[in-house]
Every structure is written in structure tokens, then in C-alpha cells.
Amino acid sequence: MSNEVVPYKLAHYVIRAKRFAEMLAWYRRVFHLKTSFEAPVIAFLTYDEEHHRIAFLNTAHLPEPDTMRTGIDHIAFTYRSIGDLLDNYARLRDAGITPFWCINHGMSTSMYYRDPDGNEVELQIDNFPSMDDCKAWFSSEAFAANPLGVQFDPEVLLQKFRSGAAESDLVKQGSAPLPKEREYVFDKLPPPPA
């Protein structure tokens, strides 16, 4: 028996929101969140049986933070299937919410969004049938050669899905090529320490 005691679930996270009302509206639309409690200073929302999954502190009165220096880079949410991910992509796209970066990491297919305050949210699926297979990807030569992955065009992937392509084909790297001139380029991150 192990002496390691680990959490059995992620309960929630709290976001400092400069644009409080916009943030609440964005997250409600993206995740179909229901309000557990809302006041001018704080709001608690959930999408399932948990009393709250995401909370927001109203920080409109505080100066803008330097988000490139500290803080969480992004939060990721996993969907059950490529179909769920793509149907959600189409729903959000039709509401004017589009990802800034779509990439197949090998073990996952991911779409990255920015909320109204600029926080990054990853919506993803696991590409392999088991978590052991996903973990094995980290030890593969393919991952060592390209630890970020291959960018993809979500419209091409959606079209292929709606045309009946096999899910096993859709989750392969390179299944929906993105023209080089449309690839997302990381130009805002500071260089790593020497």
C-alpha cells in the first residue's frame, strides 16, 4: 500500500476577471455553465453535479497583470470523442468564438481559445483508447522528435467528420493539414532562462 495520498478529482479553479460580465458570458456559452451564486465581487458556476467548477473574482478595479511572467498558462478540458469536440467547435464558431491554435499533440487533439481577459483554455480529446496508450506516446520517438505536435485546420477536420471519416483517421497527425502561412506562431512568450 502506498503512502502517497493524492486528490481523486479536480474540484474547481478560480479566475481573476478584469472583464467580469464578459467573462461570465463567455464561460457560460463555452461550457453551458449554470450559476450557483453570483454577486458583484464573485460568481460560482458549474456544468455538472459539483457545486462549482469555475469561480470568478471581479478584479476590474486592479491594474492589468503581466501575464507573461507568472500565472497559469492554460486550463484544459477533455471531451468524450472527436465528434463531441468538433460539434462543440462548430457551436462556438457559430457564436463567434474561435480557437487561435489547433494542434494534434499526438496523444491528444486540442483547440486553444482565449477568453475575454486573454486566459487560455484548451478543449481536447485523448487520441488513444486507453490512458496507458496516451502515456506511452511520451516515450515514443515521434514525441521526442516533435513534442508540440502538428497544427490542423478545424474546418477541414469538421468536414471530414461530417462526411463520415473514421474517428481513428481523424485523430492522426496530419489528417487535416493547415497551410504553413496560417500556422500559429509563438511570438509573445519570453525566451527561457539561460
Side-chain angles (χ1 to χ4, degrees), residues 75-95:
I75 302 292
F77 293 86
T78 302
Y79 286 78
R80 293 188 190 281
S81 68
I82 189 74
D84 287 353
L85 182 69
L86 290 169
D87 286 343
N88 190 61
Y89 159 76
R91 178 184 69 85
L92 294 176
R93 178 205 59 207
D94 294 348

Side-chain angles (χ1 to χ4, degrees), residues 20-31:
F20 191 66
E22 289 175 58
M23 292 284 282
L24 292 176
W26 192 89
Y27 277 84
R28 283 177 177 137
R29 180 173 295 272
V30 169
F31 294 110

